[in-house]
Amino acid sequence: MMQQSQAQAAALAVAPSVSAVAPTMSHPNDPAGGDAPPKQVAQAMERLGRAGRLIADIRLGADRLLEALFVAGCAPPYSAPQHIDRTSRAVVQEEAAMRRHFQDLRALGRLLMILSLPHAVFRLALKAFTDQKRRFFPHLEDEVLGQIQDGEPGVTKKPRLSANGELEEASLSEILKNLGNEVPNMKIFTYRHLDWSKRASSLASLMDDDFVDPSKELNLQNMGNSRSSALTTSIDQVAVIEFLVPSIFRAIVSLHPAGSTDPDAVAFFSPTEGGSYLHARGMSMHHVFKHVKVSVHFLLLKTFIVLQRWIASYQTLFTKVCSKCGRRLMMDKSLALLLPPVHRPYHQTSNVGPDLQEAYHIGCSSYDI
Amino acid sequence: LMNWHPSPGATLNSQILAEACGCAESLGGAKDGRWKTSIYFYRSMAREAAAGQQGQQGRELLGVALHERPGLYFSIIRNNRLVLQADAAFPQVMEKLQSYKARVALNFEGFQYQLGDFCLRIGKCVPNNSETLRGIMMEVEYYPLSSIEKSRAIMEDFFDIWQETVAKKSLPGHFIHVDSNFSEYGLSDQYSFQHTAVQYATCLQQLLTVARVQS
């Protein structure tokens, strides 16, 4: 039947998009691939294959539903009652099967998240899946899509697997408010994409002055405050968050999609830096901030709250001694640079206060944050 | 800013300067050109004309032309703890007004080194018109921070590491850092060129004290 072959062709169309993703993972030593050992890479590939098949099954089921409805719709009026019966049975059957498929897919998605997949690879797979799903099951979005990452703006709630394996549901505005209370030294500002570019440029012009005015930093903060208060009504469009600890650092986090609690990238800068290179994927001019890095693994698996606490722990970047060697400024032999302890591993047990947070020099660190 | 403090009885010589530069290089410093900051001694021309009063000593004013900011000129009156930032044309103004007259000029000059996030300027102090070595000093700048309070720990650590490195050379003397009382000059926690100018004035004072003791 035509529809059958269409479904088959569609299934084939789905599979290549998944397998196109797979080759990038066949390089276990690829730094972009995280630290996934070969066994896990094989596991991930197998799971992606299963995901592809599940997607194909879902599409087949969808086609069957459509077929049943089509036939029922075309049937002559006298045979309506029979068709209605048959159709409703078929729909119920398919619905059950579809629900199972979706559940399996979700579980598979979680398993995939636990592996160190390259950020981009995972997003590709997820995007391919969500695109297909949105095209064919738009009505199911509210129910299912809310539980898997949603590319649409306006979705602020996002259940995540926390470090403890518990589901944490929190909205962006709640989290930001809570952190503001937790860490009073740190100022938090939110921006839309365009607004951040403007602010970054304005920072450059303010700093580029012979007369360094102590009140200038205060002015900058006030500027940021008025900006964020204007934006609190459109928290759905927040794409950039600035964490400023005055005179110590400025951390920029980008969210993807906007308005979600899903961090995309984070970068640290000196509070005196400004310009178009100041963004979450940019890099500071100063070595010390260049070496405050976070792995894709961390961004993907830790909750937003954990990320914020980790950022806040860098208040002590220039004062805390290394938890291993007890020194502060030390020459890193491999880099030939004098650096303070720039590594701060994050433990599974959350709610570790900033004082208890450990810090290590690059050379003293055995963690891979 | 750090002054070279020679051990009792020891003399200053350019060998010390060369060794200090060697230390900078051993810490991974990359030579980044020369630098020169100049200090000018001014004597006030104002005189108390009132009868019976002895001619008052004019106030001493220091003019500082920093290497980093050739467009600016800093005037410091140490006794009154005053520092003024002005355009580089300021000395001409003073000359025109005949209020202050330049007497002596001292140059701090040497090589600059980049050490990661640090910048080191190691130099000698020589009068403008002679080659007599009056002192050795160095300037350390930490780029990422501009708050004096927040950077204190890191700067102290650097000073310790520097001391360790220099000590290995067994030179007759050591570097010392004399704190400038910035708040007395009305300066804030945010570091600025005015702070640097004041540190040079302090450094000079220290240098002259040592020279007096030595001679």
mmCIF file of all heavy atoms in Angstrom, chain B residues 77-107:
data_model
loop_
_atom_site.group_PDB
_atom_site.id
_atom_site.type_symbol
_atom_site.label_atom_id
_atom_site.label_comp_id
_atom_site.label_asym_id
_atom_site.label_seq_id
_atom_site.Cartn_x
_atom_site.Cartn_y
_atom_site.Cartn_z
ATOM 1 N N ILE B 77 52.584 66.761 45.914
ATOM 2 C CA ILE B 77 53.179 67.520 47.011
ATOM 3 C C ILE B 77 53.106 66.606 48.221
ATOM 4 O O ILE B 77 52.045 66.394 48.792
ATOM 5 C CB ILE B 77 52.425 68.838 47.269
ATOM 6 C CG1 ILE B 77 52.525 69.734 46.020
ATOM 7 C CG2 ILE B 77 53.007 69.553 48.476
ATOM 8 C CD1 ILE B 77 51.755 71.026 46.113
ATOM 9 N N ARG B 78 54.234 66.057 48.573
ATOM 10 C CA ARG B 78 54.252 64.997 49.581
ATOM 11 C C ARG B 78 53.821 65.503 50.947
ATOM 12 O O ARG B 78 53.095 64.841 51.665
ATOM 13 C CB ARG B 78 55.637 64.369 49.687
ATOM 14 C CG ARG B 78 56.011 63.629 48.417
ATOM 15 C CD ARG B 78 56.989 62.518 48.673
ATOM 16 N NE ARG B 78 56.334 61.386 49.304
ATOM 17 C CZ ARG B 78 56.901 60.589 50.182
ATOM 18 N NH1 ARG B 78 58.132 60.826 50.582
ATOM 19 N NH2 ARG B 78 56.247 59.571 50.697
ATOM 20 N N ASN B 79 54.307 66.699 51.286
ATOM 21 C CA ASN B 79 54.003 67.192 52.626
ATOM 22 C C ASN B 79 52.514 67.351 52.855
ATOM 23 O O ASN B 79 52.014 67.125 53.949
ATOM 24 C CB ASN B 79 54.701 68.539 52.875
ATOM 25 C CG ASN B 79 56.203 68.353 52.998
ATOM 26 O OD1 ASN B 79 56.669 67.251 53.177
ATOM 27 N ND2 ASN B 79 56.937 69.443 52.900
ATOM 28 N N ASN B 80 51.825 67.745 51.817
ATOM 29 C CA ASN B 80 50.390 67.956 51.961
ATOM 30 C C ASN B 80 49.576 66.781 51.462
ATOM 31 O O ASN B 80 48.359 66.842 51.444
ATOM 32 C CB ASN B 80 49.962 69.201 51.173
ATOM 33 C CG ASN B 80 50.633 70.437 51.702
ATOM 34 O OD1 ASN B 80 51.850 70.475 51.822
ATOM 35 N ND2 ASN B 80 49.850 71.430 52.043
ATOM 36 N N ARG B 81 50.283 65.735 51.060
ATOM 37 C CA ARG B 81 49.609 64.546 50.537
ATOM 38 C C ARG B 81 48.656 64.887 49.394
ATOM 39 O O ARG B 81 47.491 64.494 49.379
ATOM 40 C CB ARG B 81 48.817 63.815 51.628
ATOM 41 C CG ARG B 81 49.639 63.376 52.815
ATOM 42 C CD ARG B 81 50.510 62.192 52.474
ATOM 43 N NE ARG B 81 51.189 61.663 53.641
ATOM 44 C CZ ARG B 81 52.434 61.929 53.980
ATOM 45 N NH1 ARG B 81 53.182 62.709 53.216
ATOM 46 N NH2 ARG B 81 52.963 61.416 55.059
ATOM 47 N N LEU B 82 49.180 65.633 48.454
ATOM 48 C CA LEU B 82 48.357 66.007 47.312
ATOM 49 C C LEU B 82 48.877 65.348 46.046
ATOM 50 O O LEU B 82 50.079 65.307 45.805
ATOM 51 C CB LEU B 82 48.387 67.521 47.106
ATOM 52 C CG LEU B 82 47.673 68.374 48.140
ATOM 53 C CD1 LEU B 82 47.971 69.839 47.914
ATOM 54 C CD2 LEU B 82 46.165 68.136 48.070
ATOM 55 N N VAL B 83 47.951 64.846 45.244
ATOM 56 C CA VAL B 83 48.336 64.326 43.934
ATOM 57 C C VAL B 83 47.351 64.863 42.907
ATOM 58 O O VAL B 83 46.143 64.904 43.141
ATOM 59 C CB VAL B 83 48.372 62.780 43.912
ATOM 60 C CG1 VAL B 83 47.042 62.161 44.313
ATOM 61 C CG2 VAL B 83 48.788 62.270 42.546
ATOM 62 N N LEU B 84 47.898 65.315 41.807
ATOM 63 C CA LEU B 84 47.063 65.909 40.773
ATOM 64 C C LEU B 84 47.381 65.263 39.431
ATOM 65 O O LEU B 84 48.544 65.149 39.051
ATOM 66 C CB LEU B 84 47.340 67.422 40.697
ATOM 67 C CG LEU B 84 46.683 68.180 39.532
ATOM 68 C CD1 LEU B 84 45.191 68.298 39.775
ATOM 69 C CD2 LEU B 84 47.316 69.539 39.357
ATOM 70 N N GLN B 85 46.339 64.872 38.744
ATOM 71 C CA GLN B 85 46.522 64.310 37.411
ATOM 72 C C GLN B 85 46.193 65.393 36.396
ATOM 73 O O GLN B 85 45.142 66.023 36.475
ATOM 74 C CB GLN B 85 45.591 63.115 37.221
ATOM 75 C CG GLN B 85 45.660 62.524 35.832
ATOM 76 C CD GLN B 85 44.839 61.243 35.743
ATOM 77 O OE1 GLN B 85 44.784 60.458 36.694
ATOM 78 N NE2 GLN B 85 44.201 61.029 34.625
ATOM 79 N N ALA B 86 47.111 65.636 35.483
ATOM 80 C CA ALA B 86 46.865 66.691 34.499
ATOM 81 C C ALA B 86 47.408 66.272 33.149
ATOM 82 O O ALA B 86 48.012 65.212 32.993
ATOM 83 C CB ALA B 86 47.516 67.986 34.964
ATOM 84 N N ASP B 87 47.216 67.116 32.176
ATOM 85 C CA ASP B 87 47.711 66.878 30.834
ATOM 86 C C ASP B 87 49.229 66.991 30.805
ATOM 87 O O ASP B 87 49.829 67.660 31.638
ATOM 88 C CB ASP B 87 47.078 67.913 29.894
ATOM 89 C CG ASP B 87 47.387 67.606 28.462
ATOM 90 O OD1 ASP B 87 46.716 66.735 27.898
ATOM 91 O OD2 ASP B 87 48.327 68.238 27.924
ATOM 92 N N ALA B 88 49.858 66.355 29.827
ATOM 93 C CA ALA B 88 51.315 66.385 29.731
ATOM 94 C C ALA B 88 51.859 67.790 29.514
ATOM 95 O O ALA B 88 53.050 68.038 29.688
ATOM 96 C CB ALA B 88 51.775 65.472 28.601
ATOM 97 N N ALA B 89 51.016 68.734 29.139
ATOM 98 C CA ALA B 89 51.462 70.115 28.924
ATOM 99 C C ALA B 89 51.582 70.886 30.220
ATOM 100 O O ALA B 89 51.978 72.053 30.227
ATOM 101 C CB ALA B 89 50.501 70.819 27.975
ATOM 102 N N PHE B 90 51.225 70.288 31.330
ATOM 103 C CA PHE B 90 51.209 70.971 32.619
ATOM 104 C C PHE B 90 52.523 71.630 32.997
ATOM 105 O O PHE B 90 52.530 72.758 33.493
ATOM 106 C CB PHE B 90 50.750 69.983 33.705
ATOM 107 C CG PHE B 90 50.433 70.641 35.019
ATOM 108 C CD1 PHE B 90 49.322 71.454 35.139
ATOM 109 C CD2 PHE B 90 51.260 70.460 36.112
ATOM 110 C CE1 PHE B 90 49.022 72.070 36.348
ATOM 111 C CE2 PHE B 90 50.974 71.064 37.321
ATOM 112 C CZ PHE B 90 49.854 71.878 37.447
ATOM 113 N N PRO B 91 53.668 70.965 32.790
ATOM 114 C CA PRO B 91 54.937 71.620 33.165
ATOM 115 C C PRO B 91 55.124 72.962 32.462
ATOM 116 O O PRO B 91 55.693 73.885 33.046
ATOM 117 C CB PRO B 91 56.012 70.641 32.705
ATOM 118 C CG PRO B 91 55.338 69.385 32.396
ATOM 119 C CD PRO B 91 53.874 69.606 32.305
ATOM 120 N N GLN B 92 54.623 73.057 31.247
ATOM 121 C CA GLN B 92 54.722 74.336 30.544
ATOM 122 C C GLN B 92 53.922 75.411 31.261
ATOM 123 O O GLN B 92 54.319 76.581 31.323
ATOM 124 C CB GLN B 92 54.203 74.191 29.112
ATOM 125 C CG GLN B 92 55.061 73.274 28.264
ATOM 126 C CD GLN B 92 54.385 72.947 26.942
ATOM 127 O OE1 GLN B 92 53.627 73.748 26.429
ATOM 128 N NE2 GLN B 92 54.655 71.769 26.424
ATOM 129 N N VAL B 93 52.779 75.001 31.785
ATOM 130 C CA VAL B 93 51.932 75.935 32.537
ATOM 131 C C VAL B 93 52.695 76.449 33.750
ATOM 132 O O VAL B 93 52.735 77.647 34.038
ATOM 133 C CB VAL B 93 50.614 75.239 32.980
ATOM 134 C CG1 VAL B 93 49.831 76.123 33.924
ATOM 135 C CG2 VAL B 93 49.792 74.861 31.776
ATOM 136 N N MET B 94 53.334 75.521 34.448
ATOM 137 C CA MET B 94 54.074 75.908 35.651
ATOM 138 C C MET B 94 55.200 76.858 35.306
ATOM 139 O O MET B 94 55.479 77.823 36.027
ATOM 140 C CB MET B 94 54.642 74.647 36.320
ATOM 141 C CG MET B 94 53.573 73.843 37.025
ATOM 142 S SD MET B 94 54.206 72.815 38.353
ATOM 143 C CE MET B 94 55.035 71.557 37.403
ATOM 144 N N GLU B 95 55.838 76.602 34.149
ATOM 145 C CA GLU B 95 56.949 77.456 33.744
ATOM 146 C C GLU B 95 56.449 78.841 33.397
ATOM 147 O O GLU B 95 57.052 79.851 33.780
ATOM 148 C CB GLU B 95 57.639 76.831 32.533
ATOM 149 C CG GLU B 95 59.106 77.214 32.447
ATOM 150 C CD GLU B 95 59.787 76.493 31.314
ATOM 151 O OE1 GLU B 95 59.886 75.258 31.375
ATOM 152 O OE2 GLU B 95 60.204 77.183 30.359
ATOM 153 N N LYS B 96 55.340 78.876 32.680
ATOM 154 C CA LYS B 96 54.763 80.163 32.297
ATOM 155 C C LYS B 96 54.387 80.982 33.513
ATOM 156 O O LYS B 96 54.631 82.184 33.590
ATOM 157 C CB LYS B 96 53.503 79.937 31.440
ATOM 158 C CG LYS B 96 53.785 79.525 30.003
ATOM 159 C CD LYS B 96 53.572 80.663 29.045
ATOM 160 C CE LYS B 96 54.323 80.421 27.745
ATOM 161 N NZ LYS B 96 53.742 79.296 26.965
ATOM 162 N N LEU B 97 53.784 80.298 34.486
ATOM 163 C CA LEU B 97 53.318 80.999 35.684
ATOM 164 C C LEU B 97 54.450 81.323 36.637
ATOM 165 O O LEU B 97 54.281 82.095 37.569
ATOM 166 C CB LEU B 97 52.274 80.142 36.416
ATOM 167 C CG LEU B 97 50.936 79.995 35.719
ATOM 168 C CD1 LEU B 97 50.031 79.063 36.517
ATOM 169 C CD2 LEU B 97 50.261 81.358 35.572
ATOM 170 N N GLN B 98 55.616 80.690 36.404
ATOM 171 C CA GLN B 98 56.782 80.915 37.254
ATOM 172 C C GLN B 98 56.492 80.595 38.718
ATOM 173 O O GLN B 98 57.107 81.166 39.620
ATOM 174 C CB GLN B 98 57.252 82.378 37.131
ATOM 175 C CG GLN B 98 57.875 82.704 35.775
ATOM 176 C CD GLN B 98 59.331 82.304 35.722
ATOM 177 O OE1 GLN B 98 60.143 82.788 36.500
ATOM 178 N NE2 GLN B 98 59.678 81.398 34.831
ATOM 179 N N SER B 99 55.535 79.690 38.931
ATOM 180 C CA SER B 99 55.206 79.374 40.317
ATOM 181 C C SER B 99 56.148 78.312 40.865
ATOM 182 O O SER B 99 56.483 78.294 42.042
ATOM 183 C CB SER B 99 53.753 78.900 40.418
ATOM 184 O OG SER B 99 53.531 77.885 39.458
ATOM 185 N N TYR B 100 56.530 77.401 39.980
ATOM 186 C CA TYR B 100 57.465 76.353 40.391
ATOM 187 C C TYR B 100 58.576 76.263 39.358
ATOM 188 O O TYR B 100 58.359 76.453 38.172
ATOM 189 C CB TYR B 100 56.742 75.000 40.485
ATOM 190 C CG TYR B 100 55.951 74.815 41.759
ATOM 191 C CD1 TYR B 100 54.618 75.197 41.813
ATOM 192 C CD2 TYR B 100 56.525 74.264 42.894
ATOM 193 C CE1 TYR B 100 53.883 75.027 42.974
ATOM 194 C CE2 TYR B 100 55.793 74.089 44.059
ATOM 195 C CZ TYR B 100 54.476 74.472 44.090
ATOM 196 O OH TYR B 100 53.749 74.301 45.228
ATOM 197 N N LYS B 101 59.770 75.961 39.825
ATOM 198 C CA LYS B 101 60.891 75.848 38.910
ATOM 199 C C LYS B 101 61.523 74.470 39.039
ATOM 200 O O LYS B 101 61.798 73.996 40.143
ATOM 201 C CB LYS B 101 61.930 76.916 39.262
ATOM 202 C CG LYS B 101 62.748 77.372 38.064
ATOM 203 C CD LYS B 101 63.487 78.662 38.381
ATOM 204 C CE LYS B 101 64.656 78.867 37.454
ATOM 205 N NZ LYS B 101 64.237 79.247 36.100
ATOM 206 N N ALA B 102 61.730 73.834 37.900
ATOM 207 C CA ALA B 102 62.323 72.496 37.907
ATOM 208 C C ALA B 102 63.798 72.587 38.217
ATOM 209 O O ALA B 102 64.495 73.458 37.698
ATOM 210 C CB ALA B 102 62.116 71.839 36.554
ATOM 211 N N ARG B 103 64.231 71.705 39.076
ATOM 212 C CA ARG B 103 65.634 71.737 39.466
ATOM 213 C C ARG B 103 66.374 70.488 39.026
ATOM 214 O O ARG B 103 67.393 70.558 38.376
ATOM 215 C CB ARG B 103 65.726 71.918 40.982
ATOM 216 C CG ARG B 103 65.302 73.322 41.430
ATOM 217 C CD ARG B 103 65.396 73.487 42.917
ATOM 218 N NE ARG B 103 66.775 73.322 43.388
ATOM 219 C CZ ARG B 103 67.129 72.528 44.389
ATOM 220 N NH1 ARG B 103 66.211 71.838 45.039
ATOM 221 N NH2 ARG B 103 68.376 72.439 44.756
ATOM 222 N N VAL B 104 65.835 69.357 39.452
ATOM 223 C CA VAL B 104 66.525 68.100 39.138
ATOM 224 C C VAL B 104 65.522 67.137 38.506
ATOM 225 O O VAL B 104 64.347 67.154 38.851
ATOM 226 C CB VAL B 104 67.080 67.447 40.440
ATOM 227 C CG1 VAL B 104 67.823 66.167 40.123
ATOM 228 C CG2 VAL B 104 67.973 68.425 41.170
ATOM 229 N N ALA B 105 66.053 66.330 37.621
ATOM 230 C CA ALA B 105 65.210 65.295 37.029
ATOM 231 C C ALA B 105 65.885 63.947 37.221
ATOM 232 O O ALA B 105 67.099 63.811 37.057
ATOM 233 C CB ALA B 105 64.990 65.573 35.554
ATOM 234 N N LEU B 106 65.066 62.975 37.605
ATOM 235 C CA LEU B 106 65.567 61.606 37.770
ATOM 236 C C LEU B 106 64.797 60.685 36.856
ATOM 237 O O LEU B 106 63.582 60.802 36.724
ATOM 238 C CB LEU B 106 65.368 61.132 39.217
ATOM 239 C CG LEU B 106 66.362 61.622 40.259
ATOM 240 C CD1 LEU B 106 65.855 61.287 41.642
ATOM 241 C CD2 LEU B 106 67.722 60.972 40.055
ATOM 242 N N ASN B 107 65.524 59.753 36.250
ATOM 243 C CA ASN B 107 64.862 58.786 35.382
ATOM 244 C C ASN B 107 64.911 57.389 35.973
ATOM 245 O O ASN B 107 65.946 56.962 36.483
ATOM 246 C CB ASN B 107 65.529 58.762 34.004
ATOM 247 C CG ASN B 107 65.330 60.059 33.255
ATOM 248 O OD1 ASN B 107 64.287 60.689 33.382
ATOM 249 N ND2 ASN B 107 66.328 60.459 32.487
#
